[in-house]
Amino acid sequence: YVVATALGTGLRKSELKNLRVEDMDLKKREIKAVNRGAEARTKTGKNRIVDLSVNLVEILSKYTPKSEYVFDFTNFRRNWEKTKKLSGVACRFHDLRHTFITICLQNGIQPTSVADWVGHADLRMIMKIYKHLQRDHLKEEINKLNGLYGGNAP
């Protein structure tokens, strides 16, 4: 469930670790990344709301937290290594965040929305790190103008 949540929200590991049951509202389809001071800070020091897809809500509705925290990070390293081995995917946990951002941008979600969800204080961070994705889509984007000048070019 923690992997699905990371892939579906882009939350940082520390934000997932400090996520409390009270911060998650499946009916509203949102998670609150809450800055709780020194013991549980968001990277920017600000609270934010992360919207949840219907699919992620469906997955999380089958999960029951065992404490006030949504996820148990007691044996995180061992469990993460086991998950990677079983899945055959070798990556850092933080790569799930990058994957979320990449999927969002490749599917046409506005960079401003993505920046809000992942807590980037500045849109330039998204544009700098993920600029290579823009190049891949430029030909597709320019094709949106087909027919603008009265032609029928494909």
Side-chain angles (χ1 to χ4, degrees), residues 51-74:
D51 297 304
L52 303 176
S53 70
V54 172
N55 292 5
L56 184 56
V57 168
E58 193 175 301
I59 290 167
L60 291 174
S61 68
K62 298 172 186 168
Y63 175 70
T64 305
K66 295 178 174 91
S67 73
E68 69 177 300
Y69 291 97
V70 176
F71 302 112
D72 180 5
F73 273 74
T74 307

Side-chain angles (χ1 to χ4, degrees), residues 2-3 5-7 9-20 33-34 39-43 48 69-81 84 91-98 118:
V2 71
V3 171
T5 305
L7 277 171
T9 63
L11 286 170
R12 295 173 178 94
K13 180 180 163 188
S14 60
E15 293 167 341
L16 288 165
K17 181 179 180 181
N18 294 305
L19 184 65
R20 294 183 184 174
V34 179
E39 84 276 359
R41 288 184 44 83
T42 57
K43 188 172 180 180
R48 70 179 187 282
Y69 291 97
V70 176
F71 302 112
D72 180 5
F73 273 74
T74 307
N75 297 308
F76 175 77
R77 185 177 302 272
R78 183 180 57 179
N79 291 336
W80 176 240
E81 292 303 321
K84 290 191 309 183
C91 68
R92 301 169 303 147
F93 191 82
H94 192 75
D95 293 335
L96 302 177
R97 178 176 167 82
H98 290 294
V118 299

